[in-house]
Amino acid sequence: MKRVRVYICILALLNVAGANAQQQAKKHVLFLSSYTPSYPTFYEQLSGLSSVLHPDDVQLDIEFMDVKRFGHFDASIQHNLEYKLKNLPPYDLIISGDDAATQFVTQRRYGLFSDIPIVFFGVNDIDYGLSFDEDPQVTGVVEKASISDTLILIQDLFGSDAPLVVITDESPTGQVDLRRFYKETGQLGFDHYEVLSLTNNSFNEMLEKTSHLHAPSSILLLSCYVDRLGESQEFLTTLKQIYRNSSVPIFHMWRHSLGQGIFGGKLVSHFEQGKAAAAMANRILQGIPVSKTPVQGDSTNRYLFDFNEVQRFGFTLAEMPRSSQFINQPRPPDRTLLYLIIAALCCALLIAVTLTLMFRTQIRKSIEKRMLTANQELEREVISRTQALEIARLESENLLRLRNSILDNSLVGMVLIKNNKVEWINQQAESLFGYSAEEVLGNDAAFLQLNAAALTEFQSRSRQALKQGDTYQTEFSLNHRNGKTFWCIVSGKALDPEDLEKGVLYIMMDINSRKIMEDELKQLNTKLETQATTDYLTKLYNRRFVCERMEQEITRSNRYNTRFSVILLDIDHFKILNDRFGHDIGDLVLKELADLLKSSCRQVDTVARWGGEEFLILCPSTDPVDAAKLAELLRRRIELHAFSHAGKVTASFGVAGFLVKQSMASLIKTADNALYQAKEVRNTVIAPEPTHLHRA
């Protein structure tokens, strides 16, 4: 009996040990969402993550920032995460959903989330997302909405001149998408649109304006969460209101709104985004380095449409792009009987065709006999006509020789191009290109250009003038046989303006010497401009340039009510350093400090030498709190950096945030006063309360 009890105890201990081992092997992952569970994309994102990260292998904790309703994250979020990270088992990985969460975690990857791998997805700011490619801690999937493809679809369906109303708001996602819209419409040459921003309209004002839209107008809905009165609504609530008040189709970039009144488009799937991010996270949890998992730059977007909306606006499925998918499409009826009827008709048709062929065979034999007689008469006529044509050919050859003699002695190059092939070339053109006529005749004319697409682009620009019978003239870069390029003034004239396929005659005058002088002048101007804006020692921007940037930032901040900050820093005891080591070592310290500042700041920040041992950093879209954190990071890195030939160097920092309608002189004065206070302590950061950071 005692032996049985011992066995039972051993089995119980083994079960407990196995359960503990399984719990220890389970990975802990934090999913930080920019929004809330009520936001329509959240559960699609969560489904995508859960399709890869199995609950038996990964414990997924979820936190929400709710920035769609509040426009920014609350400080309690950071306090909550700090508490959890301190008191709960450490996270093996962090997943951030959408722009706000991604910016939150990446900006704290050296502090709150130090050494924790980060995988983001749903990021609309493509440049920001791609900046983490090959980052040792951060990777992810950007959310690239197919704006260009959807605009082309709208043009195909409603015409290139059909008006488009674009609805957006002041949310970060809305502004990122609007900037991408402006960029891609500029690339497409699309200008038949009006931006209806909730920054300047209330929800009711927006609904009133959209209620007056009529065909062939359409609506592109980018973002609609907060209006000019500060009131917020759920996306689907606003969408339903627009749908009830407007009689035109509504397009969107994301899958979650399909079936709620959206016509369709080339849509982003949040499920696929979450699935791709989870696959990256799985690789990293299995030991693959983050730097070996590149940022995924393209979304797997697909054409998706609501069948009811397609029919509502009078379109057929065949008019939609190939490979399109549809929701709400009725299932086709059973066509078995129809197929049987078609088969019977085909059999009857086959019998009729067979009888017809037999009858036509008899007719054909009769026709062949008559055609043989006609061919013999035609051959006699051809012989007579051939003799007359031979006489005419000899006369034409004499005229052509005279024409060629005149054209070959011309002082300009001439090339006749027909159907993109060289039809004729004179001797001066042979000299310009270095090819004989025998080498180029009949060849594609593209080999004469800098690249294969250059000729097509030139002909596209000149087509309208040539069709009107005008002469089209431009400067063009061409290829010589020896591989060198040269510039010509190229003039084109159509042989027949009503039919350009008959050929275009191009006359070319060599202006290569003039273009070389122009290029040298441009290079000199570029060099002078660089010298005018760059500090000669540190290669940073100089005081003049950063002042111009600051004026631009002040104008933008006053107009859009945005924030920016400046950081003014001074090297501590620099005069003593110069006296001790010499000015050469002092210059090396300035250069090394400049490189350290550039490598530690964002690409959007402007780092400049303000004068002597003073430097200024302009931080767009940054409040004083975050600017002070950046200054503290820079202070620590300078303090810990071993400067060549000089050892330890420290610096003092003054931080100032821009206030609306404040002048540049006042802003610099505020930063300079803060720097003056910091210089009294040395190796510290002084910023407006409550962000005053003392030396660690």
Side-chain angles (χ1 to χ4, degrees):
M1 192 67 181
K2 291 182 179 179
R3 185 175 299 174
V4 171
R5 290 176 180 174
V6 171
Y7 288 156
I8 292 174
C9 290
I10 292 174
L11 288 174
L13 290 173
L14 288 175
N15 286 333
V16 172
N20 289 336
Q22 184 177 6
Q23 184 68 21
Q24 292 174 359
K26 200 170 188 178
K27 300 294 185 180
H28 289 76
V29 176
L30 171 64
F31 173 32
L32 182 61
S33 171
S34 298
Y35 311 131
T36 65
S38 64
Y39 191 65
T41 64
F42 169 72
Y43 286 105
E44 290 188 21
Q45 293 177 337
L46 184 61
S47 296
L49 294 173
S50 301
S51 69
V52 176
L53 302 177
H54 197 275
D56 293 339
D57 303 321
V58 175
Q59 178 171 330
L60 187 65
D61 294 345
I62 305 175
E63 295 288 340
F64 301 97
M65 297 181 67
D66 201 5
V67 298
K68 283 294 184 186
R69 291 191 293 178
F70 299 108
H72 62 279
F73 70 87
D74 193 289
S76 62
I77 296 174
Q78 179 155 339
H79 296 323
N80 185 34
L81 288 174
E82 288 175 349
Y83 181 81
K84 287 188 176 183
L85 290 171
K86 182 178 179 181
N87 294 279
L88 294 176
Y91 286 110
D92 299 290
L93 187 137
I94 295 174
I95 298 175
S96 62
D98 297 292
D99 293 77
T102 299
Q103 291 184 11
F104 179 85
V105 298
T106 55
Q107 290 172 3
R108 292 159 179 77
R109 66 183 187 276
Y110 301 119
L112 183 61
F113 305 112
S114 178
D115 299 325
I116 303 177
I118 298 170
V119 176
F120 63 81
F121 71 99
V123 171
N124 298 99
D125 192 337
I126 297 173
D127 293 335
Y128 186 75
L130 293 177
S131 68
F132 294 104
D133 202 16
E134 299 184 0
D135 189 284
Q137 187 181 353
V138 184
T139 188
V141 185
V142 299
E143 183 178 295
K144 186 175 183 182
S146 300
I147 294 177
S148 291
D149 290 335
T150 300
L151 290 176
I152 292 172
L153 171 67
I154 293 172
Q155 286 184 318
D156 291 342
L157 293 177
F158 303 100
S160 59
D161 296 332
L164 176 66
V165 175
V166 182
I167 298 177
T168 188
D169 60 10
E170 195 62 26
S171 66
T173 302
Q175 290 303 301
V176 168
D177 291 335
L178 184 60
R179 288 194 293 272
R180 283 202 55 223
F181 174 83
Y182 284 141
K183 178 180 178 181
E184 299 192 23
T185 52
Q187 294 172 349
L188 292 174
F190 184 93
D191 57 2
H192 297 286
Y193 65 86
E194 174 190 355
V195 176
L196 182 56
S197 176
L198 289 172
T199 305
N200 307 315
N201 294 271
S202 67
F203 284 114
N204 289 335
E205 291 168 343
M206 179 269 292
L207 292 173
E208 172 65 20
K209 292 177 180 179
T210 55
S211 68
H212 296 295
L213 297 178
H214 301 286
S217 299
S218 56
I219 295 173
L220 178 58
L221 185 56
L222 295 181
S223 187
C224 54
Y225 295 92
V226 181
D227 66 2
R228 69 175 180 84
L229 302 178
E231 295 185 5
S232 62
Q233 288 188 171
E234 296 294 338
F235 177 86
L236 293 180
T237 300
T238 307
L239 172 59
K240 290 178 181 178
Q241 293 173 344
I242 296 172
Y243 184 79
R244 287 195 301 266
N245 280 272
S246 177
S247 61
V248 299
I250 306 171
F251 290 85
H252 193 44
M253 301 289 110
W254 291 270
R255 170 68 176 82
H256 67 85
S257 57
L258 197 62
Q260 305 295 327
I262 293 298
F263 184 92
K266 195 166 187 181
L267 307 183
V268 174
S269 170
H270 294 90
F271 175 86
E272 296 294 338
Q273 284 267 313
K275 183 177 179 181
M280 288 183 173
N282 213 16
R283 283 167 48 85
I284 295 169
L285 292 174
Q286 292 174 4
I288 304 298
V290 176
S291 60
K292 299 296 183 182
T293 306
V295 175
Q296 182 175 319
D298 291 323
S299 302
T300 55
N301 301 341
R302 298 175 180 175
Y303 282 109
L304 295 170
F305 299 93
D306 188 333
F307 179 82
N308 293 334
E309 293 301 305
V310 171
Q311 283 201 323
R312 176 189 173 204
F313 290 101
F315 293 102
T316 64
L317 302 189
E319 293 176 278
M320 300 300 109
R322 296 182 61 183
S323 73
S324 295
Q325 297 179 1
F326 301 88
I327 67 168
N328 297 327
Q329 184 176 6
R331 304 179 71 177
D334 187 2
R335 299 187 175 181
T336 304
L337 179 59
L338 177 62
Y339 293 151
L340 291 175
I341 295 173
I342 292 174
L345 291 175
C346 288
C347 290
L349 180 61
L350 181 60
I351 294 172
V353 169
T354 303
L355 294 174
T356 302
L357 289 176
M358 293 173 62
F359 177 70
R360 290 177 63 87
T361 300
Q362 296 298 323
I363 296 176
R364 185 192 60 179
K365 290 180 180 180
S366 176
I367 292 174
E368 285 176 350
K369 184 176 180 180
R370 291 198 298 268
M371 287 182 63
L372 179 61
T373 302
N375 285 339
Q376 292 172 349
E377 294 177 357
L378 183 59
E379 286 176 359
R380 289 192 294 269
E381 182 68 21
V382 168
I383 292 172
S384 175
R385 294 287 184 89
T386 301
Q387 292 173 351
L389 289 173
E390 181 65 18
I391 296 172
R393 184 184 64 81
L394 294 174
E395 293 176 352
S396 297
E397 286 180 352
N398 291 331
L399 292 174
L400 286 173
R401 279 193 291 269
L402 177 60
R403 183 205 67 177
N404 290 339
S405 177
I406 296 172
L407 295 176
D408 285 338
N409 289 292
S410 174
L411 297 179
V412 294
M414 298 182 184
V415 178
L416 177 62
I417 295 178
K418 183 177 180 181
N419 294 326
N420 290 334
K421 296 188 182 296
V422 178
E423 189 78 8
W424 173 82
I425 184 170
N426 74 344
Q427 289 183 358
Q428 181 63 19
E430 293 179 25
S431 176
L432 283 174
F433 292 105
Y435 291 98
S436 66
E438 291 77 11
E439 292 176 302
V440 299
L441 292 181
N443 290 333
D444 195 305
F447 78 98
L448 301 176
Q449 314 304 311
L450 279 175
N451 55 67
L455 179 62
T456 302
E457 180 184 355
F458 169 76
Q459 290 176 334
S460 175
R461 294 199 306 266
S462 64
R463 182 170 292 273
Q464 183 175 359
L466 295 175
K467 282 187 173 182
Q468 294 175 352
D470 298 332
T471 299
Y472 182 81
Q473 188 176 88
T474 187
E475 294 182 3
F476 217 67
S477 182
L478 302 167
N479 274 339
H480 191 275
R481 181 175 188 160
N482 60 14
K484 295 182 179 179
T485 60
F486 63 97
W487 283 89
C488 282
I489 294 178
V490 180
S491 302
K493 184 75 172 180
L495 299 183
D496 183 356
E498 295 181 358
D499 186 6
L500 297 184
E501 300 300 325
K502 291 183 179 179
V504 180
L505 180 64
Y506 292 99
I507 298 175
M508 304 164 193
M509 181 179 295
D510 188 358
I511 58 168
N512 201 52
S513 298
R514 191 195 80 188
K515 293 297 289 187
I516 291 175
M517 295 175 63
E518 290 176 353
D519 290 343
E520 291 175 350
L521 181 60
K522 288 179 182 178
Q523 292 175 6
L524 180 59
N525 288 336
T526 301
K527 183 177 179 181
L528 291 175
E529 183 178 354
T530 301
Q531 291 176 349
T533 60
T534 306
D535 177 64
Y536 76 98
L537 176 63
T538 62
K539 307 307 178 187
L540 296 175
Y541 291 120
N542 59 19
R543 185 167 185 159
R544 170 189 170 190
F545 180 86
V546 76
C547 285
E548 292 176 354
R549 279 285 179 88
M550 209 177 310
E551 288 289 0
Q552 295 171 2
E553 197 63 32
I554 288 173
T555 300
R556 190 175 73 87
S557 296
N558 285 331
R559 181 176 182 181
Y560 297 108
N561 195 26
T562 58
R563 302 295 305 274
F564 75 92
S565 301
V566 295
I567 303 172
L568 196 61
L569 65 119
D570 184 277
I571 301 176
D572 296 331
H573 305 299
F574 188 73
K575 184 177 183 304
I576 297 174
L577 187 148
N578 271 334
D579 293 340
R580 180 181 178 186
F581 297 102
H583 288 280
D584 291 341
I585 300 302
D587 288 347
L588 291 176
V589 170
L590 291 173
K591 292 179 181 179
E592 202 166 342
L593 179 62
D595 293 339
L596 182 60
L597 293 176
K598 286 176 65 177
S599 64
S600 300
C601 292
R602 305 173 301 176
Q603 290 185 351
V604 297
D605 298 334
T606 301
V607 183
R609 186 179 180 188
W610 190 245
E613 64 269 27
E614 286 189 342
F615 297 84
L616 186 141
I617 303 171
L618 175 63
C619 305
S621 301
T622 305
D623 57 28
V625 175
D626 289 334
K629 293 178 181 179
L630 174 59
E632 179 61 17
L633 173 65
L634 295 174
R635 185 199 68 76
R636 291 200 305 270
R637 290 189 176 180
I638 294 171
E639 182 181 29
L640 297 175
H641 184 75
F643 286 80
S644 303
H645 309 293
K648 181 176 180 179
V649 173
T650 63
S652 300
F653 294 77
V655 179
F658 175 74
L659 303 175
V660 176
K661 304 302 182 182
Q662 186 180 18
S663 68
M664 182 173 69
S666 173
L667 177 63
I668 296 300
K669 181 66 176 175
T670 303
D672 193 58
N673 291 339
L675 176 60
Y676 180 80
Q677 297 178 45
K679 292 296 288 185
E680 292 181 350
V681 182
R682 307 287 181 183
N683 191 24
T684 192
V685 175
I686 296 297
E689 295 294 340
T691 58
H692 176 197
L693 302 178
H694 295 285
R695 181 174 57 194

